[in-house]
Amino acid sequence: MTDLVFADETPGAPQASRSLDPWVVMIVDDDPAVHEVTQLVMADFEFGGRRLQFLDAYSGVEARELLAHRQDIALILLDVVMESEHAGLDLARHIREVQQNHHVRIVLRTGQPGQAPEEHVIKTYDINDYKEKTELTKRKLITVFYSALRSYRDIMIIEASRQALRRSIDAITKVYDSQNLRRFASAVLEQVSHLLGLDAQGFSASRVSAYAASHVEGRLKVLAATAEYSRLLVEEELETLPAEVREALNRALSSQQSHFDDYHFVGYYRSSTGNESLLYMVFSEPVDETARELLEIFCANVAITYETLLLREEIQETQRSTVFILGEAVEKRSKETGSHVRRVAELSALLGDAVGLAASDVEFLRQAAPLHDVGKIGIPDRVLNKPGKLDEEEWEVMKTHARIGYELLSKSDKRILQLGATIAHEHHERWDGLGYPRGLAGEQIHIVGRIVALADVMDALVSTRCYKQRWPFEQAIDYLRAESGRQFDPKLVSLLLERLPELRDIYERYPDA
């Protein structure tokens, strides 16, 4: 019997372990000696670079209290007979059915097997192992710990991967620009680590040469990070990293190739356009060739995705700039002040957000609003720039700019230009039906037409024109109040008046040149 756990001690000093969180093991037994001897025997045990931390409960009730506040228990060594003959079995059922904890491994240890026959217990209760105390030698106890902790580790890897996959799926629907790529790539990076069964920390960074001037100025930009490096997603200051990490990154950049040892991986990827991406990872266990290959694939694909998104952003920015240039060209021809189209765009976006348009619709409105007067390109200079009041004939000519703008823009099937066509056609309609060109009234006028009508008049009132001097800000606001329900949608006027600080801010950001 000298090999029994409860009569044996383990000589030798404990091995040094890595600074990882320990495995939490709960001993539930009403015999203090069982606690003491189990902890003594297993004092040197280590699995996956992690030591053990023991929690002691001397009854089923005490164990329930501990379990109610701990979600990190990996293994429970559970006695059957404590405050009652079936206290341990009741606790096992409580853990699985009430607490819905299906992760923790439960090993039933009993000194009275007659109270809980093995076949009945295994069949009826969701436990993971059944041992009589008399058969638990030190060797067998170590085997139990390895088996249970390995099973718990694998379950938690699957659970973490499931959660990471959920975050990835959620994030991928939002990957519409280079900033949202970070959230998606970080979720995928964590999932890669879990799928590999690795306890890993790291980050991915990219240096984009093709867009250096307008985006990252030739610096490394962090694209993804696990929890330990998540601050880099905000600060982007790689200079604050430990010296050995910076040295590893610089070595990969200089040699233009990946480097790795058993516990570190620095992946290097260079795209066909010369953009460089790096992946730095540190592991608690040695990584094999398969893991390195997967990490290199991750690095390459994030880099390619980032490059594609930047190219799309560049095209979108070119489109936005073209719209503004076109609007400003018309504005300069009519000798109006410098920032009218930009202010109308921002005022329209402000009102679109206030009225509850979706964020994407607000952005499309911001981009299409500058096209509201594009039809003036077809108005003769003698009418467009007449310093005084237009006569009846001239006024009829001027009113045709709404139709001209619509006809120009409606030929395209692009969303921004279609929206611009609607705005150009309807931004001179009035709430009371007395506007032009079709005399629409109330909600017959498209919401974007109503919004830009208010934004355009507001800006025209406080700006100098060839036919008028600018009005004071407060006088313009009074005019909007007076015309609420007549010229303008009263709801939009109310929403604008509730946002006067934001309105003033737009004029501070976009003053006339």
Side-chain angles (χ1 to χ4, degrees):
M1 299 293 289
T2 57
D3 196 34
L4 288 176
V5 163
F6 302 107
D8 197 8
E9 295 185 3
T10 303
Q15 297 178 352
S17 64
R18 307 183 195 284
S19 57
L20 300 173
D21 292 337
W23 304 103
V24 180
V25 178
M26 177 186 285
I27 304 173
V28 187
D29 200 299
D30 59 355
D31 185 352
V34 172
H35 293 256
E36 294 171 4
V37 175
T38 302
Q39 293 181 37
L40 179 64
V41 169
M42 301 303 295
D44 293 342
F45 182 86
E46 181 179 310
F47 172 64
R50 299 166 65 176
R51 304 295 292 272
L52 300 177
Q53 175 187 342
F54 289 97
L55 301 178
D56 297 301
Y58 297 92
S59 68
V61 173
E62 190 176 342
R64 291 187 190 201
E65 292 177 356
L66 279 171
L67 284 161
H69 300 93
R70 297 293 298 252
Q71 303 297 321
D72 59 345
I73 298 173
L75 169 62
I76 297 177
L77 302 175
L78 178 59
D79 191 14
V80 175
V81 181
M82 292 179 287
E83 66 265 43
S84 69
E85 292 184 351
H86 45 75
L89 298 178
D90 291 343
L91 177 61
R93 178 163 286 161
H94 175 82
I95 291 169
R96 300 304 195 204
E97 297 180 4
V98 178
Q99 293 190 330
Q100 291 293 305
N101 185 341
H102 299 285
H103 301 151
V104 63
R105 304 294 85 192
I106 301 175
V107 176
L108 206 65
R109 298 195 300 182
T110 180
Q112 303 178 44
Q115 295 288 342
E118 180 175 355
E119 182 178 351
H120 168 73
V121 170
I122 291 292
K123 180 179 179 180
T124 308
Y125 296 88
D126 184 6
I127 63 171
N128 305 104
D129 206 348
Y130 180 103
K131 300 292 182 184
E132 295 182 21
K133 290 183 180 179
T134 54
E135 67 174 313
L136 273 178
T137 64
K138 174 185 175 181
R139 294 187 188 92
K140 289 185 177 180
L141 186 59
I142 289 174
T143 300
V144 166
F145 269 65
Y146 272 120
S147 176
L149 293 178
R150 185 176 287 118
S151 176
Y152 176 79
R153 179 201 62 186
D154 293 344
I155 288 172
M156 296 311 293
I157 287 172
I158 293 171
E159 175 62 18
S161 297
R162 186 175 69 85
Q163 294 296 333
L165 180 59
R166 177 178 295 175
R167 292 195 302 273
S168 299
I169 292 171
D170 177 64
I172 199 170
T173 63
K174 301 181 176 74
V175 183
Y176 52 81
D177 60 36
S178 58
Q179 295 301 313
N180 285 283
L181 173 66
R182 294 165 149 207
R183 177 168 51 181
F184 171 67
S186 297
V188 174
L189 183 57
E190 288 186 3
Q191 187 182 15
V192 167
S193 299
H194 290 307
L195 287 174
L196 292 174
L198 301 171
D199 185 355
Q201 296 290 344
F203 61 89
S204 176
S206 183
R207 183 165 66 183
V208 184
S209 58
Y211 305 96
S214 59
H215 287 277
V216 292
E217 299 176 351
R219 296 184 299 109
L220 282 172
K221 186 182 183 76
V222 178
L223 302 182
T226 57
E228 184 172 305
Y229 292 99
S230 58
R231 62 179 174 79
L232 293 175
L233 294 174
V234 178
E235 299 173 2
E236 301 182 10
E237 294 296 333
L238 297 182
E239 293 77 9
T240 63
L241 290 170
E244 64 271 16
V245 178
R246 296 199 308 273
E247 182 180 343
L249 296 178
N250 289 332
R251 185 164 65 128
L253 285 171
S254 299
S255 63
Q256 296 189 349
Q257 61 183 11
S258 300
H259 297 277
F260 50 81
D261 58 34
D262 285 344
Y263 296 98
H264 299 84
F265 174 81
V266 183
Y268 175 88
Y269 176 80
R270 184 181 179 89
S271 73
S272 58
T273 57
N275 301 330
E276 298 173 295
S277 291
L278 297 170
L279 174 64
Y280 177 85
M281 298 290 288
V282 57
F283 308 98
S284 62
E285 302 175 58
V287 293
D288 57 23
E289 190 62 36
T290 301
R292 293 168 186 161
E293 182 180 356
L294 182 58
L295 291 169
E296 286 189 319
I297 291 171
F298 169 84
C299 181
N301 279 277
V302 169
I304 292 168
T305 304
Y306 182 58
E307 187 174 73
T308 301
L309 288 174
L310 285 180
L311 179 59
R312 190 179 75 176
E313 287 182 356
E314 189 78 2
I315 293 171
Q316 290 175 339
E317 182 59 35
T318 301
Q319 177 179 273
R320 284 192 290 267
S321 297
T322 301
V323 168
F324 277 119
I325 290 169
L326 181 59
E328 287 176 352
V330 173
E331 183 181 314
K332 289 183 182 300
R333 181 170 175 267
S334 60
K335 299 181 180 178
E336 294 178 354
T337 50
S339 299
H340 172 67
V341 294
R342 294 188 179 272
R343 290 196 297 262
V344 169
E346 294 304 316
L347 287 169
S348 299
L350 176 66
L351 285 167
D353 181 65
V355 84
L357 296 183
S360 58
D361 291 332
V362 170
E363 185 55 34
F364 277 115
L365 175 57
R366 176 185 277 112
Q367 295 181 44
L371 298 170
H372 64 283
D373 274 339
V374 72
K376 287 183 178 179
I377 197 169
I379 304 301
D381 285 345
R382 64 178 178 80
V383 175
L384 190 62
N385 296 316
K386 183 177 179 179
K389 185 177 180 180
L390 300 179
D391 61 30
E392 186 175 343
E393 180 187 352
E394 291 167 337
W395 178 237
E396 290 302 319
V397 172
M398 176 63 81
K399 289 195 295 185
T400 62
H401 83 274
R403 177 183 53 78
I404 294 171
Y406 171 76
E407 291 175 351
L408 282 171
L409 298 172
S410 62
K411 294 175 182 177
S412 171
D413 60 357
K414 301 304 179 184
R415 183 173 176 181
I416 289 177
L417 298 183
Q418 283 288 322
L419 196 62
T422 299
I423 291 169
H425 206 203
E426 299 186 11
H427 76 290
H428 283 296
E429 301 287 1
R430 290 172 53 107
W431 184 258
D432 59 12
L434 300 178
Y436 66 88
R438 292 183 292 165
L440 303 178
E443 294 188 357
Q444 289 180 325
I445 310 167
H446 196 289
I447 183 62
V448 297
R450 285 177 268 154
I451 286 173
V452 176
L454 181 57
D456 185 33
V457 171
M458 173 63 202
D459 192 66
L461 291 174
V462 297
S463 302
T464 301
R465 293 289 186 264
C466 62
Y467 53 86
K468 62 173 279 295
Q469 293 298 311
R470 64 180 299 275
W471 288 18
F473 192 84
E474 292 303 330
Q475 184 180 350
I477 295 299
D478 289 341
Y479 178 83
L480 299 187
R481 286 195 184 97
E483 291 297 315
S484 177
R486 296 197 299 180
Q487 184 174 355
F488 308 117
D489 181 341
K491 182 179 179 181
L492 292 177
V493 174
S494 296
L495 290 172
L496 187 62
L497 296 180
E498 291 170 3
R499 290 161 175 78
L500 292 182
E502 294 97 319
L503 181 61
R504 292 181 183 275
D505 180 64
I506 290 172
Y507 282 90
E508 290 178 3
R509 287 187 286 125
Y510 299 100
D512 287 329

